[in-house]
Amino acid sequence: MVKVVVSFKFFDKWISFLKESGFEVVYWGSEYPPSKDWIKDNVRDAEGLLCSLVNRIDREVIDSAERLKVISTFSVGYDHIDVGYAKQKGIRIGYTPEVLTDATADLAFGLLLAAARRIAEGDRLIREGKWNKPWTPDFMLGSMVYGKTLGIVGMGRIGRALISRAKGFGMRVVYYSRHRKEVEAEYMSLEDLLRVSDFVIIAVDLNESTFHMVNEEFLRKMKRSAYLINISRGKVVDEEALVKALREGLIAGAALDVFEEEPLPQDSPLIGLQNVVLTPHLGSATTETREKMAETAVFNLIKGIRGEPMVYEV
Ligand code: DGY
């Protein structure tokens, strides 16, 4: 029997599907990720590994696998996998782009609106029993979204999906990416984008060149009235620099779905700031999207083992 390892808490339905498809499945069912040793021990004689962003698949794990043909990740991001090394060893990598583009772009807009219009802050105020004064014209004023300028950093699938949403809000859309793309948005240097944008959405992959791309210098170049939204990976933002910028009023606010460390530690200074909206890595978290991601990840795994073209291969 061909052995596959599933190293994160997955859907029972798809575990059963793999078993019914004739695979021997070693499944880590807990929401707390397994140790590296557990993965190493179990992947030794497996042909497929189905993992997620909670698993670090580094050289050591890859070296322990003697028969591995495919690593299929239940995510669009693959910064948790040493892709170069895996490929060097002839291991194919599957991932789940496209199926989560709309859900993630929707959340980015939700965060943008929540930050600009102080939605989460207003919700907190009511729940804490602090809505105790009559309506006044200057109460909890936020920033207009309609007609403002949106700067998108990174123009992949999610960047494109952001453009169509922004058009609905009558926004001018500018973008920066390593390469110019055929899109309905103005291309500009990062410096110019930061100078003109009222909202900056980070939609780049995490890699060596984007690690801490949003640092003090980046934040200083933004308008003082602007908002930063991050739906990519936490490590693209230097959180310490961001906290300082939010405290000192270098920017008006931020909205973050991803963090340098996840779950966000309870003592993170971000938690004490009112001008930041925080969500727990919910970009692709819709029932429909997660189902499509599961199907894609499982078929990538099976097709990779069989030597067939995958649904999406890195
Ligand atoms: C991904 O897929 O990389 C997201 O961060 C989680 O869906």
Side-chain angles (χ1 to χ4, degrees):
M1 238 185 193
V2 171
K3 178 176 164 186
V4 297
V5 175
V6 181
S7 57
F8 64 107
K9 180 159 172 37
F10 196 38
F11 299 116
D12 291 342
K13 172 186 146 184
W14 287 101
I15 295 293
S16 303
F17 178 86
L18 283 169
K19 288 182 181 161
E20 283 154 19
S21 304
F23 293 99
E24 177 197 344
V25 183
V26 175
Y27 174 41
W28 177 265
S30 165
E31 54 203 9
Y32 295 95
S35 66
K36 189 192 274 193
D37 283 341
W38 185 89
I39 305 182
K40 279 167 63 184
D41 288 347
N42 286 289
V43 89
R44 200 162 308 263
D45 55 348
E47 290 192 24
L49 169 62
L50 182 53
C51 65
S52 83
L53 48 88
V54 302
N55 307 124
R56 185 132 300 279
I57 311 300
D58 59 13
R59 277 175 182 247
E60 215 182 311
V61 172
I62 293 166
D63 277 337
S64 68
E66 289 159 15
R67 306 174 54 182
L68 202 61
K69 291 184 178 160
V70 51
I71 300 170
S72 168
T73 183
F74 178 79
S75 61
V76 64
Y78 44 80
D79 48 280
H80 53 294
I81 303 170
D82 190 334
V83 171
Y85 191 60
K87 286 202 165 193
Q88 206 177 303
K89 298 203 84 174
I91 299 169
R92 298 169 69 189
I93 316 285
Y95 71 138
T96 65
E98 216 145 302
V99 296
L100 48 62
T101 300
D102 285 317
T104 310
D106 284 349
L107 187 84
F109 253 85
L111 288 173
L112 185 156
L113 287 164
R117 300 305 307 275
R118 305 175 68 175
I119 295 173
E121 203 185 328
D123 180 87
R124 264 193 314 273
L125 183 102
I126 294 179
R127 288 174 200 280
E128 289 169 3
K130 293 181 185 159
W131 190 28
N132 45 24
K133 280 187 263 172
W135 187 96
T136 54
D138 61 351
F139 180 58
M140 283 200 77
L141 302 186
S143 161
M144 195 69 192
V145 172
Y146 195 89
K148 290 288 180 80
T149 298
L150 171 64
I152 304 172
V153 180
M155 191 43 71
R157 294 178 176 90
I158 294 172
R160 287 170 200 265
L162 289 169
I163 297 176
S164 55
R165 283 154 182 79
K167 297 281 177 196
F169 281 90
M171 298 177 102
R172 172 187 178 203
V173 188
V174 303
Y175 77 101
Y176 165 75
S177 98
R178 272 179 306 161
H179 307 287
R180 218 177 257 256
K181 304 277 170 76
E182 280 290 314
V183 290
E184 275 188 55
E186 297 163 52
Y187 179 81
M188 46 178 71
S189 68
L190 183 59
E191 185 134 351
D192 286 346
L193 178 147
L194 298 177
R195 191 172 41 77
V196 303
S197 298
D198 300 302
F199 300 93
V200 176
I201 301 186
I202 306 298
V204 292
D205 295 340
L206 171 64
N207 54 48
E208 276 169 20
S209 67
T210 59
F211 175 80
H212 280 191
M213 173 189 206
V214 181
N215 53 18
E216 187 174 341
E217 197 191 336
F218 182 110
L219 293 160
R220 281 196 183 280
K221 287 181 186 156
M222 286 174 66
K223 291 186 185 180
R224 286 183 94 89
S225 56
Y227 294 81
L228 177 84
I229 295 102
N230 186 15
I231 40 93
S232 68
R233 280 289 182 267
K235 288 190 168 78
V236 174
V237 175
D238 176 348
E239 260 169 35
E240 210 182 304
L242 177 63
V243 166
K244 195 162 168 267
L246 289 167
R247 279 193 182 134
E248 293 176 3
L250 284 188
I251 60 171
L256 310 171
D257 185 46
V258 286
F259 304 90
E260 290 212 52
E261 188 184 337
E262 294 180 7
L264 182 66
Q266 277 305 310
D267 61 357
S268 164
L270 286 168
I271 294 175
L273 296 173
Q274 287 294 334
N275 54 348
V276 58
V277 177
L278 309 170
T279 51
H281 206 142
L282 298 179
S284 63
T286 70
T287 309
E288 300 90 331
T289 303
R290 290 284 161 86
E291 175 59 17
K292 286 189 207 137
M293 287 171 71
E295 185 181 332
T296 307
V298 166
F299 281 97
N300 280 341
L301 181 81
I302 297 176
K303 285 174 183 291
I305 290 172
R306 292 188 182 147
E308 295 170 8
M310 288 184 184
V311 193
Y312 295 104
E313 182 164 359
V314 177

